[in-house]
Amino acid sequence: MDQQAKSLEVQSVELTFPSGWRRSHDCGSLRLDHSGQNVVLMGWVQRRRDHGGLIFVDLRDREGITQIVFDPQADAAAHEAAHALRSEYVIAVQGTVRQRPEGMANPKLKTGDIEVLVYALKILNVAKTPPFLIEDDTEVSESVRLKYRYLDLRRPVMQAHLRLRHRAAFLTRNYFAERGFIEVETPVLTKSTPEGARDYLVPSRVNPGKFYALPQSPQLFKQLLMVAGLERYMQIVKCFRDEDLRADRQPEFTQLDLEMSFIEEEDIYELIEGWLSILFKDLLGLELSTPFLRLSYRDALNRYGTDRPDLRFGLELTDLTDLVKGCDFRVFREAVERGGLVKSLRLADGARLSRKDLDDLVHYAQEFGAKGMAWAKLQPDGWQSPIAKFLDPSLRDAIVDRMQGRPGDILFFMADHPTVVHETLGNVRTRLAQQLDLIPKGQYRFCWITHFPLLEWNPDEKRYVAVHHPFTSPLEEDMDFLESDPLKVRSRAYDLVLNGTEIGGGSIRIHREDVQKKIFGVLGIGDQEARDKFGFLLDALQYGAPPHGGIAFGFDRLIMLMTGATSIRDVIAFPKTQKATCLMSGAPSEPDVNQLLELCIRVDKEGR
């Protein structure tokens, strides 16, 4: 009988939960000690193997797999019914635990020493043939996995990710509760304060023409909780940002959000390092070395070209600007004259790179705005480089000495505006480490990045904008620069970076109304605009706001790094695609015309 006929036959059977049957064990818990016991198992058919007389089925639930056996000598009816079983059927069985025959144990399974001889079978539900195998190493496109997410989540690796996430959330709540934090839910429908990514707007039916915004973060509310005297707040919270997506971003994501009163930066560092130490010890069995390394923003750029440095490998940048200023090589000389930098990166034993490898790297550097990238292979008899003839021997020797170069190394040079130099060499550094397998496996390296610039100049808007957000406190010693040279002002902001990925960021906040108004003024936010957007915060700061600060962590991103997943979509139960759509449910979808009429909204798809 073919599969379709078998399915029709099964569907004619009453597919109900068997009265009086109670599951006695899960499919991952039976061991040799259970031999001889009668058990009831329930789960999904992973696979069925018909060996003529005997039928073997791997029965799966979230805890594991147990092999069950149908033997016509033990129960003919159960054996006959087992012929109809197919992949992903949901079944219940009664049977007796026994040791597998000698030589038939499966060391890959927790239950590999035993099997269950079945004497009763109930088919609880049938299943269509799934579009992909429910196995960890199945090869299937992500779009298919997302369309059939309920099937993808049956795979053990996906369930392991969600269980680790659950455990991490449980440990997190316990850790902060034990330290006096109060979990408070902040509003989801709130006021739009466009000072960052685009808001998701929600129309108000009872207030026609007006809109709520979904929160990009609970920033202002958690500051108000400090004004309210709660002193220590935490929340694992959903946030929303309408921005272009990448592998580590989603339109809706989860944050661990914290705020504390009467604290300094050191309190934040100590608290967070303790929390992460517990997570990594409990979930991964790893002891973290604390305190974490701390680098100022300027030091991070100078040494690694980025404020998100991966510290698992070396390849630090070296500044050559003072050595090459005024040299005969026009590219170096003119870059310095324009106020730029000349920096180099040394790759040990890099002379093995082919000319094609080097050309590919130069093309890669150009993706970040570089006009080119020079290189020099250090050979026993001197430099092999297109630029060697432009540098006199004494200057070449000075460069090699500063770079601590040795024969067999290769030097990469970048001369340009500081931003281009740092971004280019920072990315080349990472690309080299990935291509040449220089990144140790299973290693986690944290570092705090501190003293970020408070402001940066936006040439499109022709005004200063906040590097983090406009509620970040400036360093006291830099306050005098706010009016005379705003770009010199450093902030009391800090980010935590893990393996080249920012996982959290925060700051000590502004708690005085006069300082907050001054910052708004530097940002080009006039009194009326500040009142319209942030009036409730300015009012609150007049009523005894304590000094306070906090931090927020991308919870999805942290779990992604802990599980070794390559995308946060693999640690979120029902994620969106990079186009912010849900392939499973079809969201977003067009609303009913009556819904739009109730909201006083007309949709213009032409954008007129």
Side-chain angles (χ1 to χ4, degrees), residues 17-48:
F17 196 83
S19 177
W21 288 33
R22 296 182 62 189
R23 183 162 70 166
S24 63
H25 297 80
D26 60 63
C27 292
S29 63
L30 295 176
R31 302 291 187 270
L32 284 174
D33 292 345
H34 297 95
S35 296
Q37 291 186 20
N38 292 326
V39 298
V40 175
L41 302 180
M42 298 180 184
W44 289 261
V45 174
Q46 178 76 12
R47 62 178 61 86
R48 180 182 68 89

PDB file of all heavy atoms in Angstrom, residues 17-48:
ATOM      1  N   PHE A  17      -6.863  11.627  21.870  1.00  0.00           N
ATOM      2  CA  PHE A  17      -5.941  11.299  22.954  1.00  0.00           C
ATOM      3  C   PHE A  17      -6.472  10.070  23.682  1.00  0.00           C
ATOM      4  O   PHE A  17      -7.649  10.014  24.039  1.00  0.00           O
ATOM      5  CB  PHE A  17      -5.838  12.475  23.917  1.00  0.00           C
ATOM      6  CG  PHE A  17      -4.655  12.377  24.834  1.00  0.00           C
ATOM      7  CD1 PHE A  17      -3.404  12.805  24.407  1.00  0.00           C
ATOM      8  CD2 PHE A  17      -4.779  11.853  26.107  1.00  0.00           C
ATOM      9  CE1 PHE A  17      -2.304  12.716  25.247  1.00  0.00           C
ATOM     10  CE2 PHE A  17      -3.683  11.749  26.947  1.00  0.00           C
ATOM     11  CZ  PHE A  17      -2.433  12.194  26.511  1.00  0.00           C
ATOM     12  N   PRO A  18      -5.612   9.065  23.893  1.00  0.00           N
ATOM     13  CA  PRO A  18      -6.086   7.808  24.493  1.00  0.00           C
ATOM     14  C   PRO A  18      -6.502   7.998  25.950  1.00  0.00           C
ATOM     15  O   PRO A  18      -5.693   8.382  26.789  1.00  0.00           O
ATOM     16  CB  PRO A  18      -4.870   6.882  24.370  1.00  0.00           C
ATOM     17  CG  PRO A  18      -3.690   7.793  24.267  1.00  0.00           C
ATOM     18  CD  PRO A  18      -4.171   9.018  23.568  1.00  0.00           C
ATOM     19  N   SER A  19      -7.754   7.729  26.228  1.00  0.00           N
ATOM     20  CA  SER A  19      -8.280   7.888  27.593  1.00  0.00           C
ATOM     21  C   SER A  19      -7.539   6.972  28.562  1.00  0.00           C
ATOM     22  O   SER A  19      -7.326   5.782  28.274  1.00  0.00           O
ATOM     23  CB  SER A  19      -9.773   7.575  27.611  1.00  0.00           C
ATOM     24  OG  SER A  19     -10.292   7.655  28.919  1.00  0.00           O
ATOM     25  N   GLY A  20      -7.117   7.524  29.680  1.00  0.00           N
ATOM     26  CA  GLY A  20      -6.447   6.741  30.701  1.00  0.00           C
ATOM     27  C   GLY A  20      -4.948   6.618  30.523  1.00  0.00           C
ATOM     28  O   GLY A  20      -4.261   6.093  31.391  1.00  0.00           O
ATOM     29  N   TRP A  21      -4.418   7.091  29.379  1.00  0.00           N
ATOM     30  CA  TRP A  21      -2.967   7.047  29.160  1.00  0.00           C
ATOM     31  C   TRP A  21      -2.346   8.327  29.715  1.00  0.00           C
ATOM     32  O   TRP A  21      -2.781   9.430  29.392  1.00  0.00           O
ATOM     33  CB  TRP A  21      -2.637   6.947  27.671  1.00  0.00           C
ATOM     34  CG  TRP A  21      -2.944   5.615  27.041  1.00  0.00           C
ATOM     35  CD1 TRP A  21      -3.949   4.762  27.363  1.00  0.00           C
ATOM     36  CD2 TRP A  21      -2.230   5.023  25.950  1.00  0.00           C
ATOM     37  NE1 TRP A  21      -3.924   3.663  26.566  1.00  0.00           N
ATOM     38  CE2 TRP A  21      -2.878   3.784  25.674  1.00  0.00           C
ATOM     39  CE3 TRP A  21      -1.140   5.378  25.189  1.00  0.00           C
ATOM     40  CZ2 TRP A  21      -2.457   2.925  24.662  1.00  0.00           C
ATOM     41  CZ3 TRP A  21      -0.704   4.535  24.180  1.00  0.00           C
ATOM     42  CH2 TRP A  21      -1.357   3.322  23.921  1.00  0.00           C
ATOM     43  N   ARG A  22      -1.328   8.184  30.500  1.00  0.00           N
ATOM     44  CA  ARG A  22      -0.576   9.344  30.995  1.00  0.00           C
ATOM     45  C   ARG A  22       0.890   9.121  30.679  1.00  0.00           C
ATOM     46  O   ARG A  22       1.444   8.052  30.976  1.00  0.00           O
ATOM     47  CB  ARG A  22      -0.762   9.527  32.505  1.00  0.00           C
ATOM     48  CG  ARG A  22      -2.198   9.838  32.914  1.00  0.00           C
ATOM     49  CD  ARG A  22      -2.302  10.051  34.407  1.00  0.00           C
ATOM     50  NE  ARG A  22      -1.503  11.197  34.846  1.00  0.00           N
ATOM     51  CZ  ARG A  22      -1.283  11.502  36.124  1.00  0.00           C
ATOM     52  NH1 ARG A  22      -1.781  10.738  37.093  1.00  0.00           N
ATOM     53  NH2 ARG A  22      -0.558  12.561  36.437  1.00  0.00           N
ATOM     54  N   ARG A  23       1.499  10.093  30.065  1.00  0.00           N
ATOM     55  CA  ARG A  23       2.913   9.954  29.703  1.00  0.00           C
ATOM     56  C   ARG A  23       3.744   9.775  30.966  1.00  0.00           C
ATOM     57  O   ARG A  23       3.708  10.593  31.878  1.00  0.00           O
ATOM     58  CB  ARG A  23       3.379  11.191  28.924  1.00  0.00           C
ATOM     59  CG  ARG A  23       4.810  11.071  28.450  1.00  0.00           C
ATOM     60  CD  ARG A  23       5.143  12.047  27.345  1.00  0.00           C
ATOM     61  NE  ARG A  23       5.191  13.422  27.792  1.00  0.00           N
ATOM     62  CZ  ARG A  23       5.719  14.416  27.075  1.00  0.00           C
ATOM     63  NH1 ARG A  23       6.202  14.182  25.862  1.00  0.00           N
ATOM     64  NH2 ARG A  23       5.724  15.641  27.544  1.00  0.00           N
ATOM     65  N   SER A  24       4.504   8.703  31.009  1.00  0.00           N
ATOM     66  CA  SER A  24       5.292   8.393  32.210  1.00  0.00           C
ATOM     67  C   SER A  24       6.706   8.947  32.132  1.00  0.00           C
ATOM     68  O   SER A  24       7.310   9.266  33.159  1.00  0.00           O
ATOM     69  CB  SER A  24       5.350   6.881  32.439  1.00  0.00           C
ATOM     70  OG  SER A  24       6.019   6.241  31.349  1.00  0.00           O
ATOM     71  N   HIS A  25       7.249   9.054  30.936  1.00  0.00           N
ATOM     72  CA  HIS A  25       8.621   9.506  30.753  1.00  0.00           C
ATOM     73  C   HIS A  25       8.717  10.313  29.461  1.00  0.00           C
ATOM     74  O   HIS A  25       7.897  10.150  28.553  1.00  0.00           O
ATOM     75  CB  HIS A  25       9.601   8.317  30.666  1.00  0.00           C
ATOM     76  CG  HIS A  25       9.670   7.495  31.913  1.00  0.00           C
ATOM     77  ND1 HIS A  25       8.724   6.544  32.232  1.00  0.00           N
ATOM     78  CD2 HIS A  25      10.582   7.469  32.928  1.00  0.00           C
ATOM     79  CE1 HIS A  25       9.035   5.964  33.375  1.00  0.00           C
ATOM     80  NE2 HIS A  25      10.163   6.505  33.823  1.00  0.00           N
ATOM     81  N   ASP A  26       9.738  11.156  29.392  1.00  0.00           N
ATOM     82  CA  ASP A  26      10.024  11.812  28.115  1.00  0.00           C
ATOM     83  C   ASP A  26      10.977  10.926  27.316  1.00  0.00           C
ATOM     84  O   ASP A  26      11.454   9.895  27.803  1.00  0.00           O
ATOM     85  CB  ASP A  26      10.606  13.209  28.338  1.00  0.00           C
ATOM     86  CG  ASP A  26      11.908  13.190  29.136  1.00  0.00           C
ATOM     87  OD1 ASP A  26      12.890  12.600  28.648  1.00  0.00           O
ATOM     88  OD2 ASP A  26      11.949  13.773  30.245  1.00  0.00           O
ATOM     89  N   CYS A  27      11.279  11.362  26.104  1.00  0.00           N
ATOM     90  CA  CYS A  27      12.069  10.524  25.204  1.00  0.00           C
ATOM     91  C   CYS A  27      13.577  10.690  25.383  1.00  0.00           C
ATOM     92  O   CYS A  27      14.356  10.184  24.568  1.00  0.00           O
ATOM     93  CB  CYS A  27      11.699  10.818  23.749  1.00  0.00           C
ATOM     94  SG  CYS A  27      10.029  10.289  23.324  1.00  0.00           S
ATOM     95  N   GLY A  28      13.975  11.352  26.450  1.00  0.00           N
ATOM     96  CA  GLY A  28      15.404  11.482  26.695  1.00  0.00           C
ATOM     97  C   GLY A  28      15.843  10.969  28.046  1.00  0.00           C
ATOM     98  O   GLY A  28      17.013  11.101  28.410  1.00  0.00           O
ATOM     99  N   SER A  29      14.932  10.360  28.803  1.00  0.00           N
ATOM    100  CA  SER A  29      15.253  10.053  30.205  1.00  0.00           C
ATOM    101  C   SER A  29      15.445   8.574  30.529  1.00  0.00           C
ATOM    102  O   SER A  29      15.937   8.242  31.609  1.00  0.00           O
ATOM    103  CB  SER A  29      14.144  10.615  31.106  1.00  0.00           C
ATOM    104  OG  SER A  29      12.905   9.991  30.828  1.00  0.00           O
ATOM    105  N   LEU A  30      15.061   7.675  29.645  1.00  0.00           N
ATOM    106  CA  LEU A  30      15.142   6.252  29.981  1.00  0.00           C
ATOM    107  C   LEU A  30      16.585   5.743  29.896  1.00  0.00           C
ATOM    108  O   LEU A  30      17.334   6.069  28.974  1.00  0.00           O
ATOM    109  CB  LEU A  30      14.248   5.437  29.054  1.00  0.00           C
ATOM    110  CG  LEU A  30      12.739   5.700  29.174  1.00  0.00           C
ATOM    111  CD1 LEU A  30      11.979   4.903  28.130  1.00  0.00           C
ATOM    112  CD2 LEU A  30      12.244   5.370  30.585  1.00  0.00           C
ATOM    113  N   ARG A  31      16.966   4.898  30.888  1.00  0.00           N
ATOM    114  CA  ARG A  31      18.313   4.333  30.958  1.00  0.00           C
ATOM    115  C   ARG A  31      18.205   2.837  31.288  1.00  0.00           C
ATOM    116  O   ARG A  31      17.106   2.295  31.471  1.00  0.00           O
ATOM    117  CB  ARG A  31      19.134   5.048  32.045  1.00  0.00           C
ATOM    118  CG  ARG A  31      19.279   6.566  31.876  1.00  0.00           C
ATOM    119  CD  ARG A  31      20.161   6.911  30.663  1.00  0.00           C
ATOM    120  NE  ARG A  31      20.422   8.357  30.606  1.00  0.00           N
ATOM    121  CZ  ARG A  31      19.664   9.229  29.976  1.00  0.00           C
ATOM    122  NH1 ARG A  31      18.558   8.813  29.365  1.00  0.00           N
ATOM    123  NH2 ARG A  31      19.973  10.512  29.950  1.00  0.00           N
ATOM    124  N   LEU A  32      19.359   2.210  31.400  1.00  0.00           N
ATOM    125  CA  LEU A  32      19.364   0.781  31.729  1.00  0.00           C
ATOM    126  C   LEU A  32      18.663   0.497  33.050  1.00  0.00           C
ATOM    127  O   LEU A  32      18.073  -0.575  33.237  1.00  0.00           O
ATOM    128  CB  LEU A  32      20.803   0.262  31.771  1.00  0.00           C
ATOM    129  CG  LEU A  32      21.489   0.036  30.415  1.00  0.00           C
ATOM    130  CD1 LEU A  32      22.952  -0.342  30.622  1.00  0.00           C
ATOM    131  CD2 LEU A  32      20.768  -1.051  29.620  1.00  0.00           C
ATOM    132  N   ASP A  33      18.724   1.437  33.980  1.00  0.00           N
ATOM    133  CA  ASP A  33      18.067   1.257  35.279  1.00  0.00           C
ATOM    134  C   ASP A  33      16.559   1.083  35.152  1.00  0.00           C
ATOM    135  O   ASP A  33      15.908   0.585  36.073  1.00  0.00           O
ATOM    136  CB  ASP A  33      18.349   2.457  36.191  1.00  0.00           C
ATOM    137  CG  ASP A  33      19.813   2.536  36.608  1.00  0.00           C
ATOM    138  OD1 ASP A  33      20.527   1.529  36.425  1.00  0.00           O
ATOM    139  OD2 ASP A  33      20.236   3.589  37.110  1.00  0.00           O
ATOM    140  N   HIS A  34      15.996   1.518  34.009  1.00  0.00           N
ATOM    141  CA  HIS A  34      14.550   1.397  33.814  1.00  0.00           C
ATOM    142  C   HIS A  34      14.153   0.067  33.174  1.00  0.00           C
ATOM    143  O   HIS A  34      12.965  -0.153  32.914  1.00  0.00           O
ATOM    144  CB  HIS A  34      14.048   2.548  32.938  1.00  0.00           C
ATOM    145  CG  HIS A  34      14.221   3.908  33.540  1.00  0.00           C
ATOM    146  ND1 HIS A  34      15.303   4.715  33.269  1.00  0.00           N
ATOM    147  CD2 HIS A  34      13.445   4.603  34.411  1.00  0.00           C
ATOM    148  CE1 HIS A  34      15.195   5.849  33.926  1.00  0.00           C
ATOM    149  NE2 HIS A  34      14.078   5.817  34.634  1.00  0.00           N
ATOM    150  N   SER A  35      15.120  -0.802  32.916  1.00  0.00           N
ATOM    151  CA  SER A  35      14.825  -2.079  32.249  1.00  0.00           C
ATOM    152  C   SER A  35      13.740  -2.841  32.996  1.00  0.00           C
ATOM    153  O   SER A  35      13.759  -2.940  34.232  1.00  0.00           O
ATOM    154  CB  SER A  35      16.089  -2.933  32.156  1.00  0.00           C
ATOM    155  OG  SER A  35      17.058  -2.307  31.333  1.00  0.00           O
ATOM    156  N   GLY A  36      12.777  -3.358  32.221  1.00  0.00           N
ATOM    157  CA  GLY A  36      11.670  -4.113  32.800  1.00  0.00           C
ATOM    158  C   GLY A  36      10.472  -3.274  33.160  1.00  0.00           C
ATOM    159  O   GLY A  36       9.394  -3.817  33.438  1.00  0.00           O
ATOM    160  N   GLN A  37      10.609  -1.958  33.148  1.00  0.00           N
ATOM    161  CA  GLN A  37       9.480  -1.104  33.514  1.00  0.00           C
ATOM    162  C   GLN A  37       8.544  -0.919  32.331  1.00  0.00           C
ATOM    163  O   GLN A  37       8.973  -0.833  31.176  1.00  0.00           O
ATOM    164  CB  GLN A  37       9.977   0.275  33.977  1.00  0.00           C
ATOM    165  CG  GLN A  37      10.715   0.267  35.305  1.00  0.00           C
ATOM    166  CD  GLN A  37      11.047   1.678  35.776  1.00  0.00           C
ATOM    167  OE1 GLN A  37      10.440   2.653  35.344  1.00  0.00           O
ATOM    168  NE2 GLN A  37      12.018   1.782  36.675  1.00  0.00           N
ATOM    169  N   ASN A  38       7.250  -0.838  32.643  1.00  0.00           N
ATOM    170  CA  ASN A  38       6.251  -0.487  31.635  1.00  0.00           C
ATOM    171  C   ASN A  38       6.136   1.045  31.588  1.00  0.00           C
ATOM    172  O   ASN A  38       5.985   1.687  32.635  1.00  0.00           O
ATOM    173  CB  ASN A  38       4.897  -1.109  31.966  1.00  0.00           C
ATOM    174  CG  ASN A  38       4.930  -2.619  31.840  1.00  0.00           C
ATOM    175  OD1 ASN A  38       5.636  -3.159  30.977  1.00  0.00           O
ATOM    176  ND2 ASN A  38       4.177  -3.309  32.688  1.00  0.00           N
ATOM    177  N   VAL A  39       6.214   1.601  30.395  1.00  0.00           N
ATOM    178  CA  VAL A  39       6.239   3.061  30.256  1.00  0.00           C
ATOM    179  C   VAL A  39       5.250   3.487  29.180  1.00  0.00           C
ATOM    180  O   VAL A  39       4.832   2.690  28.330  1.00  0.00           O
ATOM    181  CB  VAL A  39       7.650   3.566  29.894  1.00  0.00           C
ATOM    182  CG1 VAL A  39       8.648   3.238  30.987  1.00  0.00           C
ATOM    183  CG2 VAL A  39       8.116   2.998  28.554  1.00  0.00           C
ATOM    184  N   VAL A  40       4.891   4.774  29.243  1.00  0.00           N
ATOM    185  CA  VAL A  40       4.077   5.414  28.197  1.00  0.00           C
ATOM    186  C   VAL A  40       4.871   6.600  27.665  1.00  0.00           C
ATOM    187  O   VAL A  40       5.236   7.503  28.418  1.00  0.00           O
ATOM    188  CB  VAL A  40       2.718   5.898  28.734  1.00  0.00           C
ATOM    189  CG1 VAL A  40       1.958   6.664  27.649  1.00  0.00           C
ATOM    190  CG2 VAL A  40       1.892   4.722  29.234  1.00  0.00           C
ATOM    191  N   LEU A  41       5.180   6.572  26.356  1.00  0.00           N
ATOM    192  CA  LEU A  41       5.908   7.651  25.696  1.00  0.00           C
ATOM    193  C   LEU A  41       5.013   8.307  24.655  1.00  0.00           C
ATOM    194  O   LEU A  41       4.156   7.650  24.053  1.00  0.00           O
ATOM    195  CB  LEU A  41       7.173   7.127  25.007  1.00  0.00           C
ATOM    196  CG  LEU A  41       8.212   6.397  25.861  1.00  0.00           C
ATOM    197  CD1 LEU A  41       9.387   5.964  24.995  1.00  0.00           C
ATOM    198  CD2 LEU A  41       8.691   7.266  27.011  1.00  0.00           C
ATOM    199  N   MET A  42       5.210   9.599  24.454  1.00  0.00           N
ATOM    200  CA  MET A  42       4.460  10.329  23.432  1.00  0.00           C
ATOM    201  C   MET A  42       5.420  11.267  22.710  1.00  0.00           C
ATOM    202  O   MET A  42       6.311  11.857  23.330  1.00  0.00           O
ATOM    203  CB  MET A  42       3.311  11.124  24.055  1.00  0.00           C
ATOM    204  CG  MET A  42       2.286  10.254  24.759  1.00  0.00           C
ATOM    205  SD  MET A  42       0.945  11.208  25.493  1.00  0.00           S
ATOM    206  CE  MET A  42       0.033   9.898  26.320  1.00  0.00           C
ATOM    207  N   GLY A  43       5.233  11.416  21.417  1.00  0.00           N
ATOM    208  CA  GLY A  43       6.103  12.312  20.672  1.00  0.00           C
ATOM    209  C   GLY A  43       5.882  12.197  19.178  1.00  0.00           C
ATOM    210  O   GLY A  43       4.819  11.771  18.708  1.00  0.00           O
ATOM    211  N   TRP A  44       6.923  12.600  18.419  1.00  0.00           N
ATOM    212  CA  TRP A  44       6.875  12.632  16.965  1.00  0.00           C
ATOM    213  C   TRP A  44       7.748  11.525  16.384  1.00  0.00           C
ATOM    214  O   TRP A  44       8.813  11.219  16.924  1.00  0.00           O
ATOM    215  CB  TRP A  44       7.376  13.971  16.428  1.00  0.00           C
ATOM    216  CG  TRP A  44       6.455  15.122  16.679  1.00  0.00           C
ATOM    217  CD1 TRP A  44       5.569  15.665  15.800  1.00  0.00           C
ATOM    218  CD2 TRP A  44       6.339  15.894  17.887  1.00  0.00           C
ATOM    219  NE1 TRP A  44       4.892  16.712  16.374  1.00  0.00           N
ATOM    220  CE2 TRP A  44       5.349  16.890  17.662  1.00  0.00           C
ATOM    221  CE3 TRP A  44       6.960  15.856  19.140  1.00  0.00           C
ATOM    222  CZ2 TRP A  44       4.984  17.816  18.625  1.00  0.00           C
ATOM    223  CZ3 TRP A  44       6.598  16.773  20.110  1.00  0.00           C
ATOM    224  CH2 TRP A  44       5.618  17.731  19.849  1.00  0.00           C
ATOM    225  N   VAL A  45       7.319  10.963  15.275  1.00  0.00           N
ATOM    226  CA  VAL A  45       8.108   9.954  14.590  1.00  0.00           C
ATOM    227  C   VAL A  45       9.256  10.647  13.856  1.00  0.00           C
ATOM    228  O   VAL A  45       9.024  11.419  12.915  1.00  0.00           O
ATOM    229  CB  VAL A  45       7.256   9.157  13.591  1.00  0.00           C
ATOM    230  CG1 VAL A  45       8.138   8.203  12.773  1.00  0.00           C
ATOM    231  CG2 VAL A  45       6.170   8.375  14.325  1.00  0.00           C
ATOM    232  N   GLN A  46      10.475  10.384  14.291  1.00  0.00           N
ATOM    233  CA  GLN A  46      11.645  10.946  13.609  1.00  0.00           C
ATOM    234  C   GLN A  46      11.926  10.168  12.316  1.00  0.00           C
ATOM    235  O   GLN A  46      12.122  10.741  11.263  1.00  0.00           O
ATOM    236  CB  GLN A  46      12.869  10.907  14.536  1.00  0.00           C
ATOM    237  CG  GLN A  46      14.158  11.425  13.931  1.00  0.00           C
ATOM    238  CD  GLN A  46      14.187  12.944  13.841  1.00  0.00           C
ATOM    239  OE1 GLN A  46      13.346  13.617  14.417  1.00  0.00           O
ATOM    240  NE2 GLN A  46      15.145  13.478  13.107  1.00  0.00           N
ATOM    241  N   ARG A  47      11.941   8.845  12.450  1.00  0.00           N
ATOM    242  CA  ARG A  47      12.112   7.990  11.265  1.00  0.00           C
ATOM    243  C   ARG A  47      11.610   6.578  11.597  1.00  0.00           C
ATOM    244  O   ARG A  47      11.559   6.185  12.769  1.00  0.00           O
ATOM    245  CB  ARG A  47      13.567   7.954  10.804  1.00  0.00           C
ATOM    246  CG  ARG A  47      14.546   7.385  11.808  1.00  0.00           C
ATOM    247  CD  ARG A  47      15.967   7.345  11.248  1.00  0.00           C
ATOM    248  NE  ARG A  47      16.452   8.671  10.897  1.00  0.00           N
ATOM    249  CZ  ARG A  47      17.031   9.504  11.757  1.00  0.00           C
ATOM    250  NH1 ARG A  47      17.180   9.148  13.030  1.00  0.00           N
ATOM    251  NH2 ARG A  47      17.470  10.681  11.379  1.00  0.00           N
ATOM    252  N   ARG A  48      11.239   5.849  10.547  1.00  0.00           N
ATOM    253  CA  ARG A  48      10.754   4.472  10.700  1.00  0.00           C
ATOM    254  C   ARG A  48      11.595   3.561   9.811  1.00  0.00           C
ATOM    255  O   ARG A  48      11.905   3.895   8.671  1.00  0.00           O
ATOM    256  CB  ARG A  48       9.282   4.367  10.286  1.00  0.00           C
ATOM    257  CG  ARG A  48       8.693   2.958  10.417  1.00  0.00           C
ATOM    258  CD  ARG A  48       7.246   2.938   9.947  1.00  0.00           C
ATOM    259  NE  ARG A  48       7.142   3.159   8.509  1.00  0.00           N
ATOM    260  CZ  ARG A  48       7.171   2.192   7.588  1.00  0.00           C
ATOM    261  NH1 ARG A  48       7.310   0.930   7.954  1.00  0.00           N
ATOM    262  NH2 ARG A  48       7.072   2.479   6.322  1.00  0.00           N
TER     263      ARG A  48
END
